[in-house]
């Protein structure tokens, strides 16, 4: 099967499918006696979130929030802003925040502080990708799909100038421009 659309896959659909199944089962094990509320960070996490939720065999709840992203640039603006918040109270629930990628760590640090103030029973983070080389703050991520080198990647929810989110695999942005 030819899965290549544009850009060379850095992580293929099959690799992603397998890893998400593993993560889902691990999360299900960890949360089997808890009250899991999965919180997706939009827009970047939308595909990962949908696949991960289906890989967790538990009667979980879902909710979403939209945070400001890098805009049109490839560098973090530093300040994170919530554009649209959750539709429910998280107090007493076991919250799992689902992110597309942890880069500088600023978004995660911001979200941790914001969510802790709302007194959940527990708070954990899950990310599809982790780029530890670019970290600016000390963060702990509880579930990581793939650790990747310091390259700007797109696809599977991740964008460049709000494009390429629909690519069904992860590709290095430069590899797309090399071809066109
Ligand atoms: P952080 O706050 O620097 O950790 O950045 C997190 C956000 O930056 C992610 O949720 C993405 O939206 C964006 N981001 C960071 N690196 C990349 C990348 O390689 N491709 C696409 N988006 C990225
Ligand atoms: Mg994002």
């Amino acid at each position: 099967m030819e899965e290549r659309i544009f850009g060379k896959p850095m992580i293929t659909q099959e690799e992603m499918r397998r890893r998400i199944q593993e993560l889902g089962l691990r999360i299900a094990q960890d949360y089997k006696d808890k009250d899991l509320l999965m919180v997706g960070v939009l827009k970047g996490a939308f595909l990962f979130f949908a696949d991960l939720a289906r890989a967790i065999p538990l009667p979980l709840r879902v909710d979403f929030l939209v945070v400001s992203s890098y805009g049109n640039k490839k560098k973090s603006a530093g300040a994170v802003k919530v554009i649209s918040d959750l539709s429910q109270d998280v107090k007493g629930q076991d919250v799992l925040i689902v992110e597309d990628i942890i880069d500088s760590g600023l978004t995660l640090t911001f979200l941790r502080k914001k969510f802790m103030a709302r007194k959940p029973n527990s708070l954990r983070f899950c990310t599809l990708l982790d780029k530890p080389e670019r970290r600016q703050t000390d963060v702990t991520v509880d579930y990581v799909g793939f650790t990747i080198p310091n390259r700007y990647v797109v696809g599977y929810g991740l964008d460049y100038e709000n494009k390429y989110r629909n690519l069904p695999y992860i590709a290095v942005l430069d590899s797309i421009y090399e071809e066109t």
Side-chain angles (χ1 to χ4, degrees):
M1 193 192 84
E2 179 59 274
E3 74 158 17
R4 190 174 161 136
I5 297 180
F6 42 80
K8 197 165 125 247
M10 177 171 123
I11 304 168
T12 66
Q13 291 186 68
E14 181 53 28
E15 285 167 336
M16 220 124 47
R17 196 191 59 76
R18 249 182 300 177
R19 185 69 185 125
I20 291 169
Q21 289 309 311
E22 285 173 10
L23 280 179
L25 291 179
R26 226 176 85 207
I27 291 167
Q29 188 61 31
D30 293 352
Y31 284 86
K32 65 178 187 301
D33 302 316
K34 301 200 166 204
D35 196 8
L36 175 55
L37 172 67
M38 271 179 85
V39 173
V41 182
L42 299 177
K43 298 180 240 178
F46 83 111
L47 290 178
F48 175 49
F49 185 97
D51 286 345
L52 183 64
R54 284 177 288 185
I56 302 174
L58 290 178
L60 52 83
R61 295 187 181 88
V62 303
D63 208 341
F64 301 93
L65 85 173
V66 184
V67 298
S68 64
S69 69
Y70 291 5
N72 292 337
K73 304 199 185 72
K74 288 193 264 176
K75 280 223 183 87
S76 176
V80 187
K81 209 170 80 195
V82 173
I83 291 166
S84 171
D85 210 336
L86 300 188
S87 64
Q88 59 197 284
D89 193 6
V90 304
K91 200 168 173 185
Q93 295 193 64
D94 296 292
V95 176
L96 178 64
I97 297 187
V98 179
E99 267 273 23
D100 52 357
I101 184 166
I102 309 296
D103 188 24
S104 69
L106 293 171
T107 307
L108 191 152
T109 300
F110 170 85
L111 289 175
R112 185 184 299 280
K113 196 160 158 234
K114 189 173 178 67
F115 272 77
M116 283 315 285
R118 296 174 177 182
K119 309 250 183 296
N121 186 51
S122 67
L123 179 65
R124 285 187 176 187
F125 285 83
C126 176
T127 186
L128 176 63
L129 304 176
D130 185 14
K131 247 199 275 188
E133 282 173 52
R134 303 226 326 143
R135 215 58 110 240
Q136 288 178 36
T137 60
D138 217 2
V139 298
T140 31
V141 192
D142 306 278
Y143 306 97
V144 174
F146 300 89
T147 300
I148 62 165
N150 185 13
R151 305 293 302 276
Y152 196 87
V153 292
V154 293
Y156 204 72
L158 290 102
D159 73 305
Y160 175 61
E161 297 189 336
N162 217 8
K163 284 193 295 196
Y164 308 117
R165 292 191 197 276
N166 60 324
L167 201 60
Y169 49 82
I170 298 291
V172 173
L173 180 66
D174 295 340
S175 80
I176 292 173
Y177 284 114
E178 277 159 19
E179 286 178 8
T180 51

